[in-house]
Amino acid sequence: MPRVWGRLAELRGADLPARPLDARALAALAANPGCRRRALLDGAGVDKTALAQSLGSPSGFGQSQFAFMRGNAFEARVKADGGAELLRLTHARVGGGPEPVPGESAVPDLSAAGPEGRAARTALALREATGAGGWTLLDHPMLVLDVAGTPAFLEPDAVVVHPDGSWTVVEIKSFPMIDGAADAAKVGAAARQSAVYALALERVAERMEPAPSVRHHVLLVCPKDFSNLPTASAIDVRKQLSVTRRQLARLTRVEDIAAELPEGTTFDVRRPAEELTAAVEAVPATYAPECLSTCELAFHCRDRARATGEVTSLGRSIRGELGGLTTIGEVLAAATGTTGDPDDPAVAALRRAARLRSEAVAGGGALGGAPC
């Protein structure tokens, strides 16, 4: 493993600190497991925001400083007074024991040296809390999850241990929950992120005897309506857990991807743009429009996908329906009958669509001169 870490450090830039993987990145990685480029860059700890800037295709998304400060202020309010309100919401939405009594719940100190030390301290605190039979709030615990041979250290907003010994992941967001409902896209993103935390929590539980239950309903805490008062909803993440397990298992190990690169390849963001472009292009990518909201290199990959006519630039669903046709040129040629096997269902569907379009255009032209 030290040899692998050395190789990954060379790819990143030996004197540059590794950018740690977080749950948001893992959720995006699991959603696109075929992208070897992202798997390698994230595994090597490359700062993709700085890399995109060096490539001339800066990232187009990120959280504003105002939103960041507002989120921190709301989280502090939710966890005030030893997490009394948070535990009340947990009991009301998830259950798991008698109602918590303010001031009687435990909030263990999870501080330790380095992420490895904090992960070990968190595991110990979970073990002690499970056997205590009371309410325990773990504020920003540290969990670890193996991703394609690379340990990813994850820090959920909170984990609650119930008196019955079960564990619940808590995700605190600053977007509002109006009349009991929040933006579906934002809730979906929060559910995928929480599923990563729940999966890492399951790894801790597996090392205990008997293994505690990690609840499949996570607690999503948001501001109520247009106030700063917290409200919560229990989100079932069983589907997201299943998808995340399957997709992470499919990821190619980063050392295998690195071994295929030419000697001397580096993603050191201080290198010239031409050299960085060649290095990035040496690793296959799987671009889809969804990448625009999840990956810092999306603009760069989109430009390359469009330049080469890749059908993935039109969306994963369309790519899946086109079978072996991988470029827009191939699709157009198949539709016009220039190339393609007529027995191929995708080719047959394209030709039928082209025929219907021609008939519709011809019909529209004939009607164009008719009086209304």
Side-chain angles (χ1 to χ4, degrees):
M1 187 60 73
R3 184 176 180 181
V4 173
W5 292 124
R7 175 59 173 145
L8 295 180
E10 291 174 2
L11 290 174
R12 180 179 66 249
D15 59 336
L16 293 177
R19 191 176 184 86
L21 280 168
D22 58 18
R24 186 173 299 180
L26 286 180
L29 192 58
N32 191 6
C35 188
R36 296 162 69 89
R37 180 176 296 170
R38 173 153 196 167
L40 179 62
L41 293 175
D42 282 348
V46 175
D47 185 343
K48 297 196 299 300
T49 299
L51 179 60
Q53 187 76 37
S54 298
L55 291 171
S57 303
S59 170
F61 71 94
Q63 190 177 43
S64 69
Q65 187 65 24
F66 174 75
F68 182 76
M69 293 173 61
R70 182 182 60 189
N72 283 345
F74 178 68
E75 181 177 337
R77 178 166 190 166
V78 171
K79 295 178 178 177
D81 300 322
E85 179 64 11
L86 177 55
L87 292 174
R88 186 192 68 79
L89 289 170
T90 305
H91 175 264
R93 299 292 185 270
V94 184
E99 187 173 351
V101 178
E104 294 185 5
S105 303
V107 184
D109 181 11
L110 302 179
S111 59
E116 295 88 352
R118 289 186 59 201
R121 181 68 188 90
T122 295
L124 178 60
L126 284 167
R127 183 183 299 273
E128 293 173 344
T130 302
W135 289 95
T136 300
L137 171 64
L138 274 68
D139 186 5
H140 284 286
M142 182 65 72
L143 307 173
V144 62
L145 185 65
D146 182 84
V147 181
T150 302
F153 292 95
L154 311 172
E155 188 176 356
D157 292 328
V159 169
V160 171
V161 179
H162 301 248
D164 65 4
S166 60
W167 303 347
T168 294
V169 172
V170 177
E171 186 70 6
I172 302 173
K173 295 296 186 182
S174 59
F175 56 79
M177 195 175 290
I178 301 174
D179 292 333
D183 181 271
K186 293 179 179 178
V187 172
R192 290 189 294 272
Q193 186 173 335
S194 298
V196 175
Y197 294 136
L199 186 59
L201 208 55
E202 287 180 352
R203 297 294 180 265
V204 180
E206 289 169 358
R207 296 192 293 270
M208 296 174 59
E209 185 62 40
S213 170
V214 179
R215 290 177 176 264
H216 294 151
H217 280 81
V218 303
L219 189 74
L220 176 63
V221 182
C222 299
K224 182 179 181 180
D225 299 325
F226 300 101
S227 71
N228 200 35
L229 299 175
T231 187
S233 177
I235 308 296
D236 189 340
V237 297
R238 280 177 292 185
K239 179 180 177 181
Q240 290 84 354
L241 266 171
S242 176
V243 170
T244 302
R245 287 193 194 98
R246 183 172 65 253
Q247 301 294 56
L248 290 180
R250 291 174 54 195
L251 287 174
T252 305
R253 296 177 67 86
V254 292
E255 58 262 36
D256 296 337
I257 303 174
E260 298 175 2
L261 296 177
E263 191 67 31
T265 299
T266 180
F267 304 105
D268 188 330
V269 296
R270 298 164 297 188
R271 307 295 294 179
E274 298 79 9
E275 183 178 336
L276 284 173
T277 299
V280 168
E281 294 304 311
V283 188
T286 305
Y287 171 78
E290 296 86 345
C291 297
L292 291 172
S293 61
T294 59
C295 183
E296 297 86 344
L297 287 181
F299 287 169
H300 174 84
C301 296
R302 182 184 63 179
D303 291 344
R304 292 299 188 272
R306 288 177 173 177
T308 56
E310 296 177 13
V311 295
T312 52
S313 62
L314 304 177
R316 291 195 185 102
S317 60
I318 295 177
R319 171 68 186 90
E321 293 175 357
L322 292 174
L325 304 173
T326 59
T327 67
I328 295 175
E330 291 176 351
V331 171
L332 294 175
T336 57
T338 305
T339 61
D341 181 0
D343 294 330
D344 185 332
V347 174
L350 285 168
R351 291 180 180 175
R352 181 171 180 272
R355 184 172 64 253
L356 291 173
R357 180 183 182 281
S358 297
E359 294 173 357
V361 170
L367 295 173
C372 296

